[in-house]
Amino acid sequence: MTLHVPFDNTYAALPDRFFTRQAPEPVGTPRLIRFNTALAEELGIEPGTPDEMARVFSGNEIPQGATPLAQAYAGHQFGGFSPQLGDGRAILLGEVVDRAGRRRDIQLKGAGRTPYSRMGDGRAWLGPVLREYVLSEAMHALGIPTTRALVAVATGDPVYREQGALPGAVLTRVAASHIRVGTFEFFAARRDLDALKALYAYTRDRHYPEAGDPGELLEAVIDRQAALVADWMSIGFIHGVMNTDNTTLSGETIDYGPAAYMDAYHPVTVYSSIDRYGRYAFDNQAQIIAWNLAQLASALVPLMPDQDDAIQVFTRMIHAMPTRVEGERRRRFRAKLGLATHQGGDTALIDDLLKLMQDHGADFTNTFRGLADGSARDQFTDTAAFDAWEPRWKARIADEADPDGLMRRTNPAFIPRNHRVEQMIAAATRGDYAPFERLLDVLSRPFDDQPDAADLRLPPEPHEEVKQTFCGT
Ligand code: AMP
Ligand code: MG
């Protein structure tokens, strides 16, 4: 058995200032934690022995055909511009064209220092690696565009964080690409028009071959990102760090640093420890994605023949975006109530339920899942309010062909609950990977009733509640 990755690299052929060629820094004693066999199959990767995979996916051995590099990018972080970010702890090994003909990046995260590391050590510890593994694979199983997790490897080396010495790990991430809004900002801020043109052409060819000009590319990205944010909101997901360097051109979810799913519904929920003003709160995500794409629009303006005209057109597109997200969000919440058709009054039905959930601290996931099996009422401390809402909804779904089926396909029974993720990390840190494997298994079928996993549907007990999450450094 020999590991084989059918590399076919294109990013490495872009001009030098797009990246720095950089090999991963070797680690002490790499050990394979998990290899995603189904994803490898999809990518046409032939697995090797556990030792061989541990060596390659820790960065100790460069596989045949790889062109390791760290990508350059900039970004607005919490609204402030950093002209020079880049892969400070990630190395792009290269790309493969998967069995469906899609080009995918294969990137090591936590693979050591690069010229973009600034003060960082280029490493990741086990907690954020397993967290991203579980959250990204769960997102995929929920049917939402996301980067994927291919491999987790323990490095055998300690990583030093506030908590002290922690076990080091490397995640191999697979993405449609790692082109970010911040990649465009990097060259726009330098007024490097040639590089911007090359990046535009590369992005168009890779993601939006139908786009006739940068305006059409912007339109297409707006479409995908509006759908993505609406998808997140439909499952109670809070990205937590929607900086422009964490907003992809492909429309995939990326960067699971402080990401979290809500337990009790409240629209201004924030978990991230560094998001002091709630910039990236649950309900603010539609506004923020528009703000982020305004940065992309600004970066694209210099590529347009008539820049004054482009500014006007792009401004209109950006201003229309929150309404667009709201439309997508409503459509998804109608489906969550079992409504495949649209009638006047549907929005009020949705909003009234959400308001009740907010007032009663009802669990987001269990309330929606409970609509189909009659247990939604149990999520409310004061059932009278729910009992007043329910007949309106019952009367409305009487007009629908298969509301139960639709609700079971749109309201997951299982999400990666924060407290379970934290418990899983604590166990893995002690060397017990059983909770990690169990979460992955259950979350791979989130819409199935899995009676054996009923405990994973429970909201946290007060002492289990996770109040804050941290950027995965
Ligand atoms: P993130 O918070 O993961 O989106 O990262 C923001 C920036 O900080 C990116 O340029 C990262 O590469 C960099 N960064 C984050 N953690 C580290 C680390 N441990 N070492 C070096 N750079 C890092
Ligand atoms: Mg990031």
Side-chain angles (χ1 to χ4, degrees), residues 126-402:
L126 184 65
V129 165
L130 298 186
R131 198 162 196 283
E132 175 159 344
Y133 201 122
V134 167
L135 264 65
S136 65
E137 287 301 296
M139 189 68 86
H140 171 71
L142 287 163
I144 299 176
T146 177
T147 62
R148 303 285 308 275
L150 180 65
V151 195
V153 172
T155 62
D157 299 332
V159 170
Y160 299 94
R161 295 289 181 264
E162 271 168 41
Q163 306 95 301
L166 297 161
V170 178
L171 178 75
T172 303
R173 173 161 78 181
V174 174
S177 83
H178 285 84
I179 302 167
R180 309 143 190 272
V181 169
T183 317
F184 281 84
E185 290 180 280
F186 181 84
F187 295 116
R190 286 164 177 73
R191 307 199 187 290
D192 185 343
L193 203 59
D194 289 340
L196 262 185
K197 277 185 190 152
L199 179 61
Y200 161 69
Y202 182 86
T203 306
R204 180 201 55 209
D205 293 351
R206 188 158 171 178
H207 296 298
Y208 303 99
E210 67 290 352
D213 69 10
E216 288 184 19
L217 180 110
L218 177 63
E219 187 73 48
V221 177
I222 287 175
D223 266 344
R224 285 203 202 166
Q225 285 288 346
L228 180 66
V229 170
D231 280 344
W232 291 349
M233 296 181 80
S234 74
I235 49 160
F237 180 77
I238 304 158
H239 182 282
V241 61
M242 287 174 71
N243 294 331
T244 58
D245 52 302
N246 294 332
T247 301
T248 57
L249 270 284
S250 68
E252 282 183 343
T253 310
I254 195 171
D255 203 324
Y256 287 84
Y261 287 76
M262 270 190 288
D263 294 302
Y265 173 70
H266 198 292
V268 299
T269 304
V270 175
Y271 286 99
S272 171
S273 61
I274 57 171
D275 190 1
R276 284 195 206 91
Y277 305 104
R279 180 179 173 89
Y280 302 139
F282 178 74
D283 235 17
N284 219 23
Q285 299 183 109
Q287 297 294 331
I288 285 296
I289 193 61
W291 194 93
N292 287 355
L293 294 194
Q295 309 316 310
L296 177 64
S298 303
L300 291 173
V301 165
L303 297 177
M304 298 297 282
D306 181 340
Q307 299 193 9
D308 291 335
D309 176 65
I311 289 169
Q312 286 191 16
V313 174
F314 290 3
T315 302
R316 275 199 299 277
M317 285 160 64
I318 297 297
H319 283 168
M321 199 182 172
T323 312
R324 187 121 147 213
V325 178
E326 180 57 14
E328 295 273 341
R329 190 189 70 87
R330 285 198 185 143
R331 196 158 57 76
R332 284 163 181 71
F333 275 82
R334 278 204 302 277
K336 289 175 79 66
L337 292 191
L339 312 177
T341 63
H342 188 190
Q343 294 183 11
D346 287 352
T347 300
L349 205 56
I350 296 164
D351 291 349
D352 291 349
L353 176 62
L354 287 171
K355 182 68 172 57
L356 285 182
M357 289 166 62
Q358 173 182 341
D359 292 346
H360 295 262
D363 185 83
F364 183 90
T365 305
N366 291 347
T367 301
F368 282 105
R369 182 72 179 188
L371 289 174
D373 65 22
S375 67
R377 187 175 189 268
D378 306 343
Q379 306 302 322
F380 294 81
T381 42
D382 165 13
T383 47
F386 181 79
D387 291 342
W389 176 85
E390 194 181 27
R392 289 167 55 203
W393 170 63
K394 283 267 164 75
R396 172 63 183 86
I397 56 172
D399 300 337
E400 293 288 332
D402 180 24

Side-chain angles (χ1 to χ4, degrees), residues 73 77 84-90 109 112-114 116-124 159 161 180 241 243 245-246 255 257-258 274 471-473:
Y73 55 86
Q77 301 179 307
Q84 173 89 55
L85 293 169
D87 290 333
R89 54 170 162 167
K109 196 172 166 188
R113 290 179 52 84
T114 77
Y116 312 112
S117 298
R118 292 167 292 161
M119 306 301 282
D121 59 3
R123 294 298 180 191
V159 170
R161 295 289 181 264
R180 309 143 190 272
V241 61
N243 294 331
D245 52 302
N246 294 332
D255 203 324
I274 57 171
C471 280
T473 53

